[in-house]
């Protein structure tokens, strides 16, 4: 969902700018579009790499889950950043309801509320500080604590 929303916003913005010479012919817009494309592709590659981890029998589920949390964070961040940056490129007129950017931003923000990114990042941070990572262990602890 995150990547699809960001890709939709980026595709719209590239087309919108290409149809408006005052946008598409500027070096700033071209550089910004390229930056957003690279950010989105990096998040996509992280998600694909995690999918491969889940299929690799040599990788533990906790390791796959740890990396998935990191990839999800990248995808969430890209979805919000790309969508907001697309508004910046297109300008105020792009907020009109005939354009998809308003819905893209709403959807990106709604998806970021479904899972608490800060709790996943906190678990990753604990691991970096030497604590054992176990997503399953977190779930079992929560059940025990009620």
């Amino acid at each position: 969902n995150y990547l699809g929303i960001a890709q939709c916003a980026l595709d719209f913005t590239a087309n919108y700018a290409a149809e408006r010479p005052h946008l598409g012919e500027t070096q700033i817009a071209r550089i910004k579009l390229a930056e957003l494309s690279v950010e989105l592709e990096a998040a996509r590659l992280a998600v694909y790499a995690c999918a491969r981890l889940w299929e690799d029998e040599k990788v533990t589920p906790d390791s796959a889950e740890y990396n998935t949390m990191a990839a999800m964070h990248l995808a969430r961040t890209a979805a919000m950043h790309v969508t907001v940056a697309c508004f910046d490129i297109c300008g105020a007129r792009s907020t009109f309801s005939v354009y998809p950017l308003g819905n893209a931003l709403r959807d990106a923000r709604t998806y970021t509320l479904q899972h608490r990114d800060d709790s996943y990042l906190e678990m990753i941070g604990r691991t970096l500080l030497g604590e054992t990572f176990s997503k399953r262990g977190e779930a079992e602890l929560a059940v025990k604590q009620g």
Side-chain angles (χ1 to χ4, degrees):
N1 289 332
Y2 302 117
L3 300 175
I5 291 166
Q7 188 66 59
C8 174
L10 184 60
D11 291 347
F12 166 79
T13 301
N15 290 330
Y16 187 88
E19 294 170 358
R20 290 158 180 80
H22 69 281
L23 288 177
E25 294 177 3
T26 66
Q27 186 178 19
I28 293 170
R30 291 174 181 177
I31 290 169
K32 191 63 178 173
L33 285 168
E35 286 177 340
L36 297 173
S37 178
V38 170
E39 180 180 359
L40 180 56
E41 188 61 23
R44 182 178 287 113
L45 291 171
V47 169
Y48 290 166
C50 287
R52 283 191 297 277
L53 290 176
W54 284 102
E55 295 172 352
D56 188 339
E57 294 177 5
K58 297 175 190 168
V59 176
T60 67
D62 282 344
S63 179
E65 184 72 27
Y66 174 88
N67 285 285
T68 298
M69 287 182 182
M72 289 275 293
H73 171 72
L74 291 174
R76 277 189 193 110
T77 302
M80 286 303 299
H81 180 250
V82 168
T83 306
V84 170
C86 286
F87 270 110
D88 291 342
I89 293 168
C90 294
R93 188 171 293 162
S94 66
T95 63
F96 295 168
S97 63
V98 297
Y99 299 122
L101 283 184
N103 288 340
L105 182 59
R106 181 204 63 212
D107 292 348
R109 182 62 180 129
T110 300
Y111 285 129
T112 64
L113 296 172
Q114 287 183 337
H115 302 283
R116 299 306 305 186
D117 195 40
D118 53 351
S119 64
Y120 290 150
L121 289 174
E122 192 270 336
M123 289 168 56
I124 291 171
R126 283 193 325 219
T127 304
L128 293 171
L129 294 172
E131 295 182 36
T132 303
F133 175 88
S134 177
K135 177 66 173 154
R136 182 181 193 114
E138 288 292 321
E140 290 168 1
L141 179 61
V143 169
K144 288 178 186 176
Q145 292 178 346

